[in-house]
Amino acid sequence: GAVVSQHPSRVICKSGTSVKIECRSLDFQATTMFWYRQFPKQSLMLMATSNEGSKATYEQGVEKDKFLINHASLTLSTLTVTSAHPEDSSFYICSARAYGGGKDNEQFFGPGTRLTVL
Amino acid sequence: GESVGLHLPTLSVQEGDNSIINCAYSNSASDYFIWYKQESGKGPQFIIDIRSNMDKRQGQRVTVLLNKTVKHLSLQIAATQPGDSAVYFCAENNINSGNTPLVFGKGTRLSVIA
């Protein structure tokens, strides 16, 4: 149980295009999803916290108009990188927090999406 | 601000030896700690966690030690195997502070020499 999926797993796009990444909790409901970005040989850096039915909370330095987050249901959050540029190339990882069932604080991570902007 | 850091960025061990990966944290309010394993191109994989009311917790071949006095966390892997080669991250959180995300340390790359 507690599986989180991401789609696509890998995407290559041209500079200036927009890319949407989906994060789904497959067998549990997640009221909160987190989006992280990871550059090569670095740690996971939190980009934003996404709560179902409300606006995302962005970390300092993360442009909310560039990284659009939509958490429309308890099992799906999307991250759209708008007008992507090569410096946006990174590994994007989502995680979902499950409430109920005695695992209220546990975060479950997706497999990540590798974005390459040419 | 809060930060979670690591003493050793890389660690090479012989197959069969024990590995010890260390982590220092600065937020004294943190009360929940997790170790993750991340293989290349994959998301973090949960290894073991510990709450601040404990100082040791054991799993299968892994042990996490927590020293709240010096804000130090360690992961011990017994009889290290080639499949243990990965980057290991510690992460911390404050369960009582509400719906806050995990904060990750810098990571340690573990290389197992066969």
Side-chain angles (χ1 to χ4, degrees), chain A residues 31-32 34 36 38 41-44 46 49 51 59 91 93 97 99 102 105-112 114, chain B residues 32 34 36 38 41-46 49 51 89 93-95 98-107 109:
Chain A
T31 55
T32 304
F34 304 97
Y36 293 81
Q38 185 178 32
K41 299 183 180 180
Q42 294 188 24
S43 186
L44 283 73
L46 180 69
T49 299
N51 291 295
E59 294 300 297
F91 194 50
I93 304 170
R97 177 165 278 160
Y99 276 87
N105 198 55
E106 196 163 352
Q107 275 183 238
F108 301 95
F109 285 84
R114 171 76 60 195
Chain B
Y32 181 58
I34 307 176
Y36 287 94
Q38 187 181 29
K42 297 183 179 180
Q45 175 187 354
F46 174 93
D49 61 356
R51 301 210 171 185
F89 294 97
N93 192 214
N94 183 338
I95 294 177
N99 195 13
T100 56
L102 291 169
V103 175
F104 281 80
K106 294 182 180 180
R109 177 172 296 280

Side-chain angles (χ1 to χ4, degrees), chain B residues 48-60:
Chain B
I48 191 168
D49 61 356
I50 189 169
R51 301 210 171 185
S52 59
N53 59 352
M54 303 174 67
D55 53 19
K56 181 179 180 179
R57 190 163 187 229
Q58 288 184 293
Q60 187 177 11

Side-chain angles (χ1 to χ4, degrees), chain A residues 34-73:
Chain A
F34 304 97
W35 286 95
Y36 293 81
R37 179 167 53 182
Q38 185 178 32
F39 292 108
K41 299 183 180 180
Q42 294 188 24
S43 186
L44 283 73
M45 297 300 296
L46 180 69
M47 298 175 67
T49 299
S50 168
N51 291 295
E52 186 267 337
S54 63
K55 291 184 178 180
T57 302
Y58 291 82
E59 294 300 297
Q60 189 173 7
V62 179
E63 299 176 56
K64 63 179 182 179
D65 294 329
K66 181 170 183 62
F67 298 100
L68 301 178
I69 292 173
N70 187 330
H71 192 165
S73 77

Side-chain angles (χ1 to χ4, degrees), chain A residues 6-56:
Chain A
Q6 282 184 241
H7 178 79
S9 59
R10 184 182 295 269
V11 57
I12 301 173
C13 69
K14 293 181 179 180
S15 185
T17 61
S18 294
V19 175
K20 179 185 284 188
I21 302 171
E22 293 185 348
C23 177
R24 293 182 185 272
S25 56
L26 298 184
D27 50 4
F28 66 98
Q29 292 185 329
T31 55
T32 304
M33 289 184 173
F34 304 97
W35 286 95
Y36 293 81
R37 179 167 53 182
Q38 185 178 32
F39 292 108
K41 299 183 180 180
Q42 294 188 24
S43 186
L44 283 73
M45 297 300 296
L46 180 69
M47 298 175 67
T49 299
S50 168
N51 291 295
E52 186 267 337
S54 63
K55 291 184 178 180

Side-chain angles (χ1 to χ4, degrees), chain B:
Chain B
E2 295 90 349
S3 67
V4 181
L6 289 173
H7 295 303
L8 298 174
T10 59
L11 178 66
S12 295
V13 297
Q14 291 285 341
E15 181 179 359
D17 287 352
N18 297 333
S19 302
I20 300 177
I21 301 172
N22 296 303
C23 176
Y25 65 95
S26 59
N27 185 359
S28 57
S30 294
D31 56 12
Y32 181 58
F33 305 88
I34 307 176
W35 281 101
Y36 287 94
K37 172 185 180 183
Q38 187 181 29
E39 296 175 297
S40 181
K42 297 183 179 180
Q45 175 187 354
F46 174 93
I47 300 174
I48 191 168
D49 61 356
I50 189 169
R51 301 210 171 185
S52 59
N53 59 352
M54 303 174 67
D55 53 19
K56 181 179 180 179
R57 190 163 187 229
Q58 288 184 293
Q60 187 177 11
R61 282 202 307 120
V62 294
T63 301
V64 55
L65 299 177
L66 174 62
N67 185 330
K68 294 182 289 294
T69 302
V70 295
K71 298 203 232 13
H72 185 268
L73 191 69
S74 70
L75 175 69
Q76 300 178 0
I77 304 174
T80 312
Q81 303 170 358
D84 295 327
S85 294
V87 178
Y88 290 80
F89 294 97
C90 63
E92 53 102 10
N93 192 214
N94 183 338
I95 294 177
N96 295 319
S97 66
N99 195 13
T100 56
L102 291 169
V103 175
F104 281 80
K106 294 182 180 180
T108 293
R109 177 172 296 280
L110 175 64
S111 295
V112 181
I113 304 167

